[in-house]
């Protein structure tokens, strides 16, 4: 039965979509069956896999409002073992349309239950807000990955998200767990970055991923080509660190790169 992971943080620009796309691609390359759920009205996960929105005939919006079954909206991507429930700008109006709908916080969960057995992993890209759509993701998932920047303002956002998780546990999903807190666009040379990591590790012991995704131009370039970074430039620093994160999510031993030579990382044996 598939494990459902939501990737969420109400702050924008922290690497949620990048994490969804690249983790899904890595897991798919390992022969795991993966479904990405794009629940962000910006639809960046959809375009990140090279899918043109004009070719989308049914989307997350249609599934949430009950216009179609999730199986009728899922699309295959060009990448091994990865499928997607795509999103278009129509999703922006979903919050208002669900206000008076029964079980509005369980809409995504009920749909995913009908296809959960078809996948090893289902990864939900939540929008940068703590509204109905994000709550649907938290209610539907088994665990949550929280991407965040190593900045002090980010600590406030993390606190708000934790409060929301507590509310969801109390009312909808008592088994919801934090899979891990993922630092993105990380620069270990900055004292403030290391201070923030230490602060988060103190309050969330054992919940911070060892892997910290660095700033990398290839990660930034890959979406414009409609590809995960491992299929855009497999030798890049970004691709290798998302591979390390994949090992960590799977509970496998990981070995961090020890040095850089001519742009390619050499791994310890």
């Amino acid at each position: 039965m598939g494990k459902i992971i939501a990737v969420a943080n109400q702050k924008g620009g922290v690497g949620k979509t990048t994490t969804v796309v690249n983790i899904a691609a890595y897991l798919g390359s390992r022969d795991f069956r993966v479904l990405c759920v794009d629940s962000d009205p910006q639809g960046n996960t959809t375009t990140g896999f090279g899918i043109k929105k004009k070719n989308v005939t049914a989307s997350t919006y249609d599934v949430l409002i009950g216009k179609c079954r999730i199986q009728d909206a899922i699309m295959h991507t060009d990448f091994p073992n990865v499928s997607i429930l795509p999103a278009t700008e129509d999703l922006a109006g979903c919050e208002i349309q669900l206000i008076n709908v029964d079980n509005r916080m369980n809409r995504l969960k009920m749909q995913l239950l009908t296809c959960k057995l078809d996948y090893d992993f289902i990864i939900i890209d939540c929008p940068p807000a703590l509204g109905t759509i994000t709550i649907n993701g938290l209610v539907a998932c088994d665990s949550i990955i929280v991407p965040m920047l190593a900045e002090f303002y980010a600590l406030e956002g993390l606190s708000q998200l934790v409060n929301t998780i507590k509310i969801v546990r109390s009312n909808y999903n008592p088994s919801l767990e934090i899979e891990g807190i993922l630092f993105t666009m990380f620069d270990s040379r900055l004292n403030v970055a290391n201070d923030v990591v230490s602060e988060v590790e103190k309050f969330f012991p054992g919940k911070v991923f060892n892997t910290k995704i660095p700033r990398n131009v290839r990660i930034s370039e890959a979406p414009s080509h409609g590809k995960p970074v491992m299929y855009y430039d497999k030798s890049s620093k970004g691709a290798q660190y998302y591979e390390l994160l994949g090992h960590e999510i799977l509970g496998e031993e990981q070995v961090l790169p020890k040095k850089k030579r001519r742009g390619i990382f050499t791994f310890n044996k």
Side-chain angles (χ1 to χ4, degrees), residues 145-160:
I145 290 176
V146 185
M148 66 177 289
L149 304 181
E151 300 173 352
F152 276 107
Y153 283 133
L155 295 175
E156 294 182 3
L158 179 60
S159 176
Q160 293 170 9

Side-chain angles (χ1 to χ4, degrees), residues 163-237:
N163 288 335
T164 301
I165 291 172
K166 290 178 180 177
I167 293 170
V168 172
R169 279 178 182 157
S170 299
N171 295 282
Y172 303 104
N173 186 358
S175 62
L176 177 61
E177 296 289 342
I178 295 178
E179 180 85 13
I181 297 168
L182 174 67
F183 284 98
T184 59
M185 293 173 260
F186 186 74
D187 188 343
S188 61
R189 298 170 298 179
L190 300 178
N191 289 334
V192 66
N194 294 304
D195 290 344
V196 170
V197 170
S198 297
E199 193 75 8
V200 174
E201 288 177 336
K202 181 167 64 177
F203 285 100
F204 299 93
K207 291 297 185 181
V208 177
F209 284 111
N210 292 325
T211 306
K212 296 166 181 62
I213 308 299
R215 290 187 182 275
N216 178 247
V217 67
R218 295 304 193 203
I219 292 177
S220 300
E221 290 173 348
S224 66
H225 295 268
K227 295 180 178 181
V229 69
M230 69 176 294
Y231 291 105
Y232 176 63
D233 185 351
K234 188 172 178 60
S235 67
S236 68
K237 181 179 178 182

Side-chain angles (χ1 to χ4, degrees), residues 7-234:
V7 180
N9 190 327
Q10 75 274 22
K11 297 182 74 67
V14 298
K16 290 188 300 294
T17 297
T18 299
T19 296
V20 170
V21 169
N22 288 298
I23 284 301
Y26 174 72
L27 293 173
S29 75
R30 293 281 305 274
D31 292 329
F32 292 102
R33 300 164 300 164
V34 184
L35 172 65
C36 288
V37 176
D38 192 348
S39 65
D40 187 339
Q42 297 178 81
N44 290 337
T45 295
T46 301
T47 55
F49 281 111
I51 294 174
K52 298 185 184 301
K53 293 177 187 175
K54 66 180 181 181
N55 296 330
V56 173
T57 56
S59 66
T60 305
Y61 168 79
D62 299 296
V63 170
L64 288 177
I65 68 169
K67 189 176 178 179
C68 73
R69 301 182 313 146
I70 191 170
Q71 289 87 346
D72 297 327
I74 290 172
M75 302 177 68
H76 296 293
T77 73
D78 292 333
F79 306 97
N81 303 306
V82 179
S83 299
I84 187 169
L85 175 60
T88 64
E89 59 275 6
D90 292 343
L91 190 57
C94 194
E95 299 263 352
I96 296 174
Q97 289 187 255
L98 290 177
I99 287 177
N100 297 315
V101 174
D102 292 337
N103 295 318
R104 66 181 183 276
M105 301 302 186
N106 290 286
R107 305 288 287 185
L108 182 59
K109 178 180 180 178
M110 290 187 293
Q111 288 283 348
L112 289 179
L113 285 174
T114 68
C115 67
K116 191 174 182 179
L117 293 175
D118 298 329
Y119 301 96
D120 300 301
F121 289 93
I122 298 174
I123 307 176
I124 306 170
D125 184 10
C126 296
L130 294 178
T132 303
I133 297 176
T134 295
I135 300 299
N136 262 266
L138 299 184
V139 171
C141 72
D142 301 306
S143 61
I144 175 174
I145 290 176
V146 185
M148 66 177 289
L149 304 181
E151 300 173 352
F152 276 107
Y153 283 133
L155 295 175
E156 294 182 3
L158 179 60
S159 176
Q160 293 170 9
L161 180 60
V162 168
N163 288 335
T164 301
I165 291 172
K166 290 178 180 177
I167 293 170
V168 172
R169 279 178 182 157
S170 299
N171 295 282
Y172 303 104
N173 186 358
S175 62
L176 177 61
E177 296 289 342
I178 295 178
E179 180 85 13
I181 297 168
L182 174 67
F183 284 98
T184 59
M185 293 173 260
F186 186 74
D187 188 343
S188 61
R189 298 170 298 179
L190 300 178
N191 289 334
V192 66
N194 294 304
D195 290 344
V196 170
V197 170
S198 297
E199 193 75 8
V200 174
E201 288 177 336
K202 181 167 64 177
F203 285 100
F204 299 93
K207 291 297 185 181
V208 177
F209 284 111
N210 292 325
T211 306
K212 296 166 181 62
I213 308 299
R215 290 187 182 275
N216 178 247
V217 67
R218 295 304 193 203
I219 292 177
S220 300
E221 290 173 348
S224 66
H225 295 268
K227 295 180 178 181
V229 69
M230 69 176 294
Y231 291 105
Y232 176 63
D233 185 351
K234 188 172 178 60

